[in-house]
Amino acid sequence: MTRILPGVIAMAIIVVASNILVQFLILDGLLTWGAFTYPLAFLVTDIMNRVYGSAAARRVVFAGLVVGIICSLIGSQIMLQGDGYTYPAVALRIAIASATAFLIAQLLDIAVFNRLREGSWWKAPLGSTLVSSTVDTAIFFSIAFAAIFNGLSASAADEVIWAQDAVPFLNSGPMVPLWMSLAVADWAVKLSIALIALVPFRIIVGRILRPAA
């Protein structure tokens, strides 16, 4: 456990930071600052997988899941006021979407990484992150905001109807439900960070695996 403790701590910090920063909107509400921290969870998983193997990576993922659930439980107890309703800071369906997307995407990341790990050094982290980030985005935004999952809401006050309003796609295209624009914007950030993260992945893995002098 001691050897993966840095990974557990890093994952916990990323999850907590993302849960806080998701409250702050940018680019006319298309993104939140949390969109830039959350993808780093895939970097942590990939480093743990490359250095210590898939079993260690899964332990780090489950630690992150526990932290995320705790954050959601805390958020569900913080009540906000708006539009005549009192509602929790973290809606039930968003908590379900977050936990489901995180677990499935992270475990998928590990599986894809293992399939590609014998190739060039960059193929496993890039390929696994691209695939898992896409799945993560699809699962989270569908469960959290799509009309088909409206039944997951605990009450009318807990509903996220605003995300289903028709607006111009990415603020300039054809009319689509708002959540689709949010998903595409988030997905684009994830893909960009997947490319950028190859640099710290290479450096960190190289330093950890460097033979002692």
Side-chain angles (χ1 to χ4, degrees), residues 29-31 137 141 163 165-188:
L30 282 178
L31 288 170
T137 301
F141 283 92
D165 292 340
V167 298
F169 180 64
L170 296 177
N171 293 337
S172 61
M175 301 297 284
V176 298
L178 172 59
W179 70 267
M180 292 186 178
S181 291
L182 301 180
V184 171
D186 183 83
W187 179 64

Side-chain angles (χ1 to χ4, degrees), residues 33-192:
W33 285 113
F36 295 89
T37 55
Y38 177 77
L40 297 177
F42 295 102
L43 172 62
V44 173
T45 300
D46 289 345
I47 291 173
M48 291 295 102
N49 198 351
R50 173 63 77 186
V51 176
Y52 300 117
S54 58
R58 280 191 288 269
R59 286 196 288 271
V60 171
V61 167
F62 285 120
L65 177 66
V66 170
V67 173
I69 291 174
I70 292 173
C71 287
S72 293
L73 289 174
I74 293 173
S76 68
Q77 301 306 307
I78 300 174
M79 304 308 293
L80 304 175
Q81 295 284 339
D83 297 327
Y85 288 114
T86 297
Y87 57 93
V90 178
L92 173 63
R93 66 183 292 179
I94 292 180
I96 293 172
S98 178
T100 303
F102 179 86
L103 182 60
I104 293 177
Q106 291 290 336
L107 294 180
L108 178 62
D109 182 271
I110 294 171
V112 175
F113 189 102
N114 288 339
R115 292 290 299 269
L116 301 175
R117 70 186 308 141
E118 299 304 324
S120 300
W121 71 267
W122 55 269
K123 288 184 179 180
L126 181 59
S128 62
T129 302
L130 292 179
V131 172
S132 56
S133 292
T134 301
V135 171
D136 180 273
T137 301
I139 292 176
F140 174 76
F141 283 92
S142 295
I143 295 177
F145 301 120
I148 192 173
F149 291 103
N150 281 354
L152 291 176
S153 297
S155 66
D158 196 29
E159 191 53 82
V160 287
I161 296 296
W162 55 267
Q164 297 166 16
D165 292 340
V167 298
F169 180 64
L170 296 177
N171 293 337
S172 61
M175 301 297 284
V176 298
L178 172 59
W179 70 267
M180 292 186 178
S181 291
L182 301 180
V184 171
D186 183 83
W187 179 64
V189 171
K190 285 191 176 83
L191 298 190
S192 299

Side-chain angles (χ1 to χ4, degrees), residues 9-43:
I9 294 173
M11 182 68 80
I13 291 173
I14 291 167
V15 171
V16 171
S18 298
N19 274 272
I20 294 172
L21 294 175
V22 75
Q23 308 297 323
F24 301 95
L25 304 177
I26 57 175
L27 296 179
D28 294 327
L30 282 178
L31 288 170
T32 72
W33 285 113
F36 295 89
T37 55
Y38 177 77
L40 297 177
F42 295 102
L43 172 62

